[in-house]
Amino acid sequence: MTEINGKLAIVTGAASGIGRATAIELAKRGARLAISDLDRGGLAETAKRIEAIGGSVTTYLLDVADRDAVYAFAQDIETSHGGADIVINNAGVAQIARVEELTYDDFEWVMKIDFWGMVYGTKAFLPQLQAKGAGHIVNVSSLFGLIAVPSQAAYNSAKFAIRGFTEALRHEMKGTGIAVSCVHPGGIKTNIVRNARFLQSTQATVREEAASGFDRLARTTPERAGEVIVRGIERNKPRILIGADAKAIDWLQRLMPASYGKLLFRREAGVLNGQPGNGDSNE
């Protein structure tokens, strides 16, 4: 079991959605929080809610795609707080476009925040956990780290990469006292679709339609997602699936690894074939 009470927990992408809910849930369990995001107003609101329940929190304006900034953040945590105990790499963004329309700039934008931000956060804080001989690293992947969907090549690439990196790290940390978890949320009621980048030629007409469609499909609240994540941390679960949809898709992928698309997607559905199901905008 991972002890939460009194521990210092780092949460990126904490200005809204899953990040905010997880930070608040950790505070309820007695953790001290150090939270980050690029959304100054949202970050302040999260801190206000944590303080309202008697929690301890420090906020950091941080772009997780900036490696030097992430390492400076980790150094400040070590100097000011004695090092992290729990690290939750949650910050994420989405890009909705078919592969032939996807620009390199947009692809790199997603990978730098979703994947490299997670790598930087892990490597910057891992020495602190190793020095203590204990701790927990939690990397947030997605339902789309289990299956691939049309119009989500960049997001799928990042979330599959997070899964692979996290599973490799878990094997490496065996016997060290450091637990490692990969989170796969299904449809969570966050603003990630509204904050996503769309193909510029269709952005104005598609964004609200996509967001509304996602809202209809998203069944799990961020608060429920936060509860599941924190419970998974306490129980040292290597994989944390959130929502009935994530659990069903996980089984479907195992049963039909090469043909699940025949059941899930229709060509004429276009960009709405699949929408990202987790995370919080970091920009």
Side-chain angles (χ1 to χ4, degrees):
M1 298 288 288
T2 293
E3 177 62 40
I4 291 176
N5 185 42
K7 301 300 184 181
L8 180 66
I10 311 300
V11 184
T12 67
S16 62
I18 292 176
R20 169 181 287 172
T22 303
I24 292 171
E25 187 65 26
L26 286 164
K28 290 178 181 178
R29 310 289 180 95
R32 296 173 292 129
L33 274 300
I35 60 175
S36 73
D37 206 293
L38 275 178
D39 179 354
R40 188 188 302 271
L43 199 60
E45 176 61 24
T46 302
K48 180 180 177 181
R49 296 188 189 188
I50 291 172
E51 290 169 346
I53 59 175
S56 171
V57 60
T58 307
T59 61
Y60 293 83
L61 202 64
L62 176 70
D63 180 358
V64 299
D66 183 336
R67 181 171 63 187
D68 291 341
V70 174
Y71 273 80
F73 171 44
Q75 181 60 56
D76 189 78
I77 292 296
E78 185 169 26
T79 301
S80 303
H81 301 280
D85 298 295
I86 300 168
V87 179
I88 301 177
N89 292 304
N90 165 75
V93 293
Q95 164 67 44
I96 299 175
R98 296 178 67 84
V99 170
E100 67 266 26
E101 302 165 331
L102 182 62
T103 69
Y104 284 108
D105 285 344
D106 284 341
F107 203 153
E108 290 170 0
W109 174 70
V110 173
M111 293 300 294
K112 285 178 180 178
I113 295 171
D114 291 17
F115 176 67
W116 283 109
M118 178 275 306
V119 173
Y120 299 154
T122 298
K123 287 182 64 63
F125 284 103
L126 182 58
Q128 298 178 15
L129 306 187
Q130 290 174 318
K132 296 183 179 185
H136 203 127
I137 294 174
V138 180
N139 294 329
V140 179
S141 177
S142 171
L143 170 65
F144 291 176
L146 300 173
I147 61 167
V149 298
S151 79
Q152 298 291 334
Y155 191 75
N156 275 136
S157 297
K159 295 303 181 177
F160 268 78
I162 289 171
R163 175 186 172 187
F165 178 95
T166 305
E167 291 183 4
L169 178 65
R170 185 171 69 246
H171 298 320
E172 293 176 7
M173 293 297 105
K174 186 176 181 180
T176 66
I178 299 171
V180 180
S181 299
C182 191
V183 180
H184 295 280
I188 311 296
K189 295 181 182 297
T190 73
N191 289 323
I192 192 166
V193 174
R194 284 185 169 83
N195 292 332
R197 287 188 180 181
F198 287 72
L199 176 67
Q200 291 301 310
S201 63
T202 59
Q203 181 172 343
T205 58
V206 169
R207 180 182 297 277
E208 188 55 38
E209 183 180 355
S212 297
F214 176 71
D215 289 343
R216 289 193 299 270
L217 293 173
R219 302 294 184 183
T220 305
T221 65
E223 291 73 23
R224 175 58 180 164
E227 292 172 1
V228 174
I229 290 171
V230 174
R231 188 168 65 245
I233 293 171
E234 289 179 320
R235 298 177 180 178
N236 287 344
K237 294 183 66 174
R239 293 208 322 162
I240 302 173
L241 298 172
I242 304 176
D245 49 352
K247 294 174 183 177
I249 291 297
D250 182 44
W251 277 107
L252 179 62
Q253 195 280 331
R254 296 186 194 198
L255 292 171
M256 305 173 62
S259 57
Y260 60 78
K262 294 179 181 179
L263 293 180
L264 296 178
F265 314 126
R266 292 182 301 172
R267 183 176 178 82
E268 65 270 23
V271 72
L272 295 179
N273 272 330
Q275 302 298 350
N278 74 281
D280 307 280
S281 175
N282 189 48
E283 294 201 336

